[in-house]
Amino acid sequence: MAIDINTVTVTTAGTRVQFSATDSRPWRVITVSARPSNGSAVYVGLSAVTSTAGIQLMPGGSYPIRMPPEVVGGVTLKQLYADAAVNSDRVDYAAYS
């Protein structure tokens, strides 16, 4: 089993940030968590995510992205983005394969 734990910082509010530009490994579970110190909600999603649309995570909130057993492969970190309405808000993630 592989595990990757890291943080994504949305330096400029309204500008989505890719979780990884290079990691194309398929992950079975990616748990995303908004830092409790964030100034507002952060949003996680695919390339269309914005500072108002996506999986909404309030400060301190988390959400598991899970692949069902019948799905071959998984989600890659290259596919995921974060955006926020407040500069420097952060999202932590733990990915498992």
Side-chain angles (χ1 to χ4, degrees):
M1 173 181 5
I3 298 174
D4 186 7
I5 299 171
N6 213 331
T7 300
V8 176
T9 301
V10 179
T11 305
T12 304
T15 303
R16 71 178 183 264
V17 178
Q18 193 173 27
F19 277 38
S20 173
T22 58
D23 190 341
S24 58
R25 292 176 287 178
W27 297 98
R28 301 300 298 168
V29 178
I30 302 173
T31 300
V32 291
S33 302
R35 291 277 176 101
S37 59
N38 284 351
S40 185
V42 295
Y43 295 84
V44 173
L46 301 176
S47 61
V49 72
T50 69
S51 60
T52 60
I55 298 170
Q56 183 185 53
L57 298 171
M58 297 305 291
S62 65
Y63 183 84
I65 301 168
R66 300 179 201 271
M67 293 296 99
E70 64 272 10
V71 173
V72 176
V75 176
T76 71
L77 295 176
K78 285 176 69 171
Q79 293 175 293
L80 292 179
Y81 292 80
D83 202 348
V86 176
N87 290 342
S88 301
D89 275 358
R90 294 179 286 174
V91 175
D92 299 318
Y93 67 83
Y96 307 90
S97 63

